[in-house]
Amino acid sequence: MQRAEYKLTSRIRNAERKFNLYTAVSTVGTGAFTGISILLRNVLMIETGILLFTTALTVLAVNLVLDMFVKSHTNSWVFVTPPREILKRADEVGKEICEHRPSLLRGTNPITRFVSWLFKQTWAHFAIILPSFVIFYVVMVTGLIGYQKLGPAGISLVNFASDISWLFWFPLLWLLTWLANGRAWCQTCPFSGQAEWVHRLHPWKKMRKKLGLDLRWPIKYSTIFYSAVGFSVLTWMEEFYGIGGPGVPMLTSVVLIYIGALELFISLLFQDRTFCRTICPLSAPLAITTTISPLGTFRARDPEVCKKCTTKDCMKGNDKYHGCPWFASPGSKENSPMCGLASDCYKACPHDNIDWQVKRFPWLSDLMTGKKRFDLALSVTLLTGVVLFQFLNALPFYSMMDQWLNHVTGWASFSKLLVPGLSNYGYSNDGYPNPIDYFAINLVPILAVLIAAKFEERRGVPLKWGFTSISYALIPVFAASILVRNLPKFLGGSPLILNEILNPTGYGMHNSQIYSTFWGSFLHSLGHDPLNAAAAWWVLLVMEAVMAFGTYLGIRASNMLSVTDGVSRWTYYAVVLAFGIAFMLVTYWMSSPASPSIPFYNPYLGNLLYNPTQASPPF
């Protein structure tokens, strides 16, 4: 028996070493490609090279860190369980919490009957993905061939590719968190759909074989933390190139083409939606936000039925249906954030035991689990740091600090090698954002939660459990903050894409003419100024209201978690209120009119008192 276990462990260890070796070779190779691209001064090659290099480096770095701190060869490190007495209390309280109304799949009303029928059809998921598949291929083409020049504020307002991507789609991701489910995009994602159709050899039918090697991603490295780090790196790159301004449209197309090609490549190497579960830069933030969404995920109605099931068709599939491509067991509550709403488990379950629930307000039941995900906690804190940067970078003092750091480190000179030719389109960059201050700000929430967890450790709460539980209370604050930072674009610029439906390339229309269009003039009449990348004053009120609501939910989560998890309520409050109030203050400061004529004008931080009708929330 011991000999068999040794052979198994040895085989797993060798697989991990090979995986890391190939990743290291890929890192070196993509780094060399990036270097050659810099020498050739081709900006699209440079952007592609940076995307390739940072992806390989992210995977390699996370793997090496895990190898350093995790000695087992399982994914047990992902989950954290409290001491027995805390776990018992959590389970008891968790059973008492009932936050679910009748589901979307059960009932006699027309809506539930239609939804239940629809998701039983093998072609349903294909039909849901197809519209976004068509739209994003239009986006990728128009971004490459359309009008590229930027307006006076350094943004594009006439090319369908960049406008729909950053004024509409990206904000909509975070709005869906509060209206439906954070994973709603995963259900409609054209890149995962395209890869899945190729991998399965048919858009909806179950074929006998699949295309590709069908390798298994090492289970020790099966974590969404890759995604969180990838989102952070991609955000830095988006800021550096001004991609999400919206900036030069062809840069947006390169990012989308890269993600689609990478997902297809990974699907031909590994099983099912390995890319979606691990590497996709949107997977971690969407997994986090789905835990507090009004609409739940596919889950077992009765977990006991799942325990007695011997076939596990929901995971393995059967002759007619595929199993879950996300490897997210519907019987596991702590894995619910990993459900991508693919609906395969619902079709395949032989016991009709899969449900799709709607939560009762305040939608926090998924946080009340006896066993929690440590990688989710790490992702929450890191991504909160990413959003914190997006708030702080709108303040004058950050620009001063960043420019000073760029000059001292020499980054301002080197960065010019990464943007050759973009000045022809009206884009300029003096090194913003410096990688040092960017990633330092990313780490602020991690350090804050770690300090709070260390304080709780003195009270007997295990450090890892305390860190995870406190991070869970921060989820509503993160979900609100990332929506708030994107609201000026959504409210102040998204209708512009309606101008571009008949002219998606933007030819014949310069950015300066935007107010001569119907939707441009409409936005201007509401007080918005998209040409100068600013929204109307009343958007500030909406932003503050959303941030206050997220902080309120964070307090509600703190109250509930303090009962189940053994952490002091005041520790939760300290973290939640610190970041909630910080985001609200910075929202106010970054929207302050930059005019010395206003009383208490401060050029470094923003006005302390001013007329709210003069506020201009920046894009």
Side-chain angles (χ1 to χ4, degrees):
M1 181 68 176
Q2 291 181 344
R3 187 175 181 181
E5 290 180 356
Y6 174 79
K7 286 184 176 181
L8 179 61
T9 302
S10 179
R11 188 173 65 182
I12 294 174
R13 187 185 297 113
N14 288 335
E16 291 171 357
R17 288 172 178 169
K18 287 183 179 179
F19 183 65
N20 286 333
L21 175 61
Y22 293 142
T23 307
V25 171
S26 300
T27 304
V28 173
T30 54
F33 174 81
T34 305
I36 294 172
S37 301
I38 292 174
L39 294 176
L40 295 176
R41 297 183 58 80
N42 185 308
V43 69
L44 297 187
M45 286 181 62
I46 293 172
E47 183 188 10
T48 303
I50 294 176
L51 287 167
L52 288 166
F53 175 69
T54 53
T55 300
L57 184 61
T58 295
V59 175
L60 180 62
V62 172
N63 289 358
L64 294 180
V65 170
L66 287 177
D67 288 342
M68 186 183 303
F69 292 101
V70 179
K71 302 307 177 184
S72 70
H73 299 281
T74 69
N75 69 338
S76 58
W77 71 271
V78 167
F79 301 97
V80 54
T81 304
R84 188 181 300 274
E85 61 273 14
I86 296 178
L87 179 61
K88 183 179 180 180
R89 183 165 65 250
D91 288 341
E92 290 175 353
V93 175
K95 291 178 181 178
E96 295 174 2
I97 297 175
C98 180
E99 297 199 59
H100 296 102
R101 297 198 298 266
S103 75
L104 289 176
L105 303 175
R106 311 276 170 179
T108 57
N109 65 75
I111 295 178
T112 55
R113 290 174 63 184
F114 172 75
V115 173
S116 177
W117 169 83
L118 176 65
F119 282 97
K120 280 293 186 180
Q121 310 307 310
T122 56
W123 48 262
H125 202 198
F126 168 77
I128 291 172
I129 292 174
L130 187 59
S132 62
F133 177 81
V134 173
I135 291 172
F136 269 85
Y137 263 87
V138 172
V139 166
M140 288 186 282
V141 173
T142 56
L144 291 175
I145 68 173
Y147 184 78
Q148 302 292 331
K149 291 190 176 182
L150 305 179
I155 61 175
S156 169
L157 297 173
V158 296
N159 189 300
F160 180 71
S162 51
D163 287 4
I164 194 174
S165 297
W166 305 109
L167 297 179
F168 180 75
W169 167 74
F170 196 69
L172 183 64
L173 290 177
W174 319 118
L175 185 60
L176 286 173
T177 292
W178 302 102
L179 299 180
N181 184 285
R183 286 288 193 186
W185 165 250
C186 300
Q187 192 176 50
T188 63
C189 176
F191 309 118
S192 61
Q194 169 186 263
E196 193 168 75
W197 301 338
V198 174
H199 179 58
R200 291 180 173 181
L201 296 173
H202 199 281
W204 63 83
K205 288 185 179 179
K206 175 74 179 288
M207 310 300 287
R208 290 186 177 183
K209 294 183 179 181
K210 292 181 180 180
L211 182 64
L213 300 180
D214 216 33
L215 301 175
R216 182 170 184 174
W217 190 275
I219 191 169
K220 178 180 179 178
Y221 306 139
S222 183
T223 171
I224 62 167
F225 192 57
Y226 298 107
S227 170
V229 177
F231 185 88
S232 173
V233 173
L234 192 60
T235 299
W236 175 86
M237 187 172 176
E238 176 266 312
E239 292 283 350
F240 179 78
Y241 282 103
I243 299 172
V248 179
M250 64 181 177
L251 300 182
T252 292
S253 290
V254 169
V255 171
L256 297 178
I257 292 170
Y258 170 75
I259 291 175
L262 180 63
E263 178 149 16
L264 180 59
F265 175 72
I266 295 296
S267 72
L268 295 177
L269 286 180
F270 297 97
Q271 296 174 335
D272 296 317
R273 294 207 178 185
T274 295
F275 174 88
C276 302
R277 185 180 172 92
T278 55
I279 300 178
C280 176
L282 288 177
S283 187
L286 295 180
I288 291 165
T289 57
T290 199
T291 60
I292 61 166
S293 294
L295 186 61
T297 56
F298 286 100
R299 193 179 299 169
R301 295 176 63 202
D302 183 357
E304 295 301 318
V305 174
C306 292
K307 292 178 182 179
K308 296 176 183 179
C309 180
T310 58
T311 60
K312 306 297 181 186
D313 287 2
C314 64
M315 298 296 291
K316 298 178 181 179
N318 50 41
D319 293 338
K320 189 175 180 181
Y321 301 112
H322 293 281
C324 175
W326 287 77
F327 322 116
S329 172
S332 174
K333 184 176 182 179
E334 59 271 9
N335 270 331
S336 62
M338 307 309 297
C339 172
L341 304 179
S343 73
D344 291 293
C345 62
Y346 178 59
K347 297 180 182 70
C349 178
H351 310 291
D352 195 25
N353 191 43
I354 304 299
D355 205 354
W356 193 4
Q357 299 170 324
V358 179
K359 303 177 189 175
R360 292 188 189 279
F361 183 79
W363 318 315
L364 301 172
S365 58
D366 284 347
L367 305 182
M368 306 300 120
T369 58
K371 186 166 67 171
K372 290 180 168 59
R373 292 188 65 111
F374 180 60
D375 64 338
L376 193 74
L378 286 173
S379 299
V380 173
T381 49
L382 176 62
L383 294 174
T384 302
V386 174
V387 182
L388 180 63
F389 161 80
Q390 293 177 328
F391 275 74
L392 294 179
N393 73 349
L395 298 180
F397 89 88
Y398 174 82
S399 297
M400 295 174 60
M401 177 185 68
D402 193 67
Q403 289 173 4
W404 173 82
L405 198 57
N406 290 337
H407 175 72
V408 170
T409 61
W411 174 251
S413 299
F414 177 77
S415 65
K416 296 185 185 304
L417 299 176
L418 305 180
V419 292
L422 289 185
S423 59
N424 296 331
Y425 306 115
Y427 176 77
S428 61
N429 187 305
D430 59 355
Y432 162 85
N434 189 286
I436 296 175
D437 57 27
Y438 172 78
F439 290 108
I441 293 174
N442 280 198
L443 296 177
V444 169
I446 295 179
L447 295 176
V449 174
L450 182 61
I451 292 171
K454 290 290 286 185
F455 178 80
E456 284 297 312
E457 191 178 28
R458 295 181 179 181
R459 299 179 55 253
V461 178
L463 182 63
K464 187 176 179 181
W465 173 256
F467 180 92
T468 305
S469 184
I470 295 169
S471 299
Y472 269 50
L474 201 56
I475 289 176
V477 175
F478 163 72
S481 64
I482 197 169
L483 172 60
V484 164
R485 193 60 189 92
N486 284 278
L487 278 177
K489 291 181 180 179
F490 186 74
L491 296 175
S494 61
L496 292 177
I497 64 174
L498 298 174
N499 286 331
E500 299 151 9
I501 292 177
L502 298 179
N503 182 22
T505 62
Y507 278 118
M509 172 62 68
H510 294 184
N511 290 284
S512 59
Q513 300 171 289
I514 196 66
Y515 294 137
S516 65
T517 66
F518 177 82
W519 290 107
S521 62
F522 171 75
L523 286 172
H524 204 46
S525 68
L526 295 178
H528 302 298
D529 188 9
L531 194 60
N532 291 300
W537 67 269
W538 53 265
V539 175
L540 170 64
L541 304 181
V542 179
M543 295 165 72
E544 295 288 24
V546 172
M547 199 64 247
F549 179 67
T551 305
Y552 162 74
L553 286 187
I555 294 298
R556 291 286 298 265
S558 299
N559 292 334
M560 298 168 71
L561 289 166
S562 65
V563 175
T564 62
D565 291 4
V567 177
S568 169
R569 179 177 302 178
W570 297 104
T571 302
Y572 291 115
Y573 285 174
V575 174
V576 169
L577 288 175
F579 284 100
I581 293 174
F583 283 128
M584 292 179 71
L585 287 176
V586 178
T587 298
Y588 170 84
W589 286 329
M590 72 182 184
S591 304
S592 301
S595 173
S597 63
I598 304 298
F600 300 97
Y601 167 76
N602 186 317
Y604 306 109
L605 192 59
N607 298 313
L608 301 178
L609 291 174
Y610 70 96
N611 182 349
T613 61
Q614 295 175 308
S616 298
F619 280 14

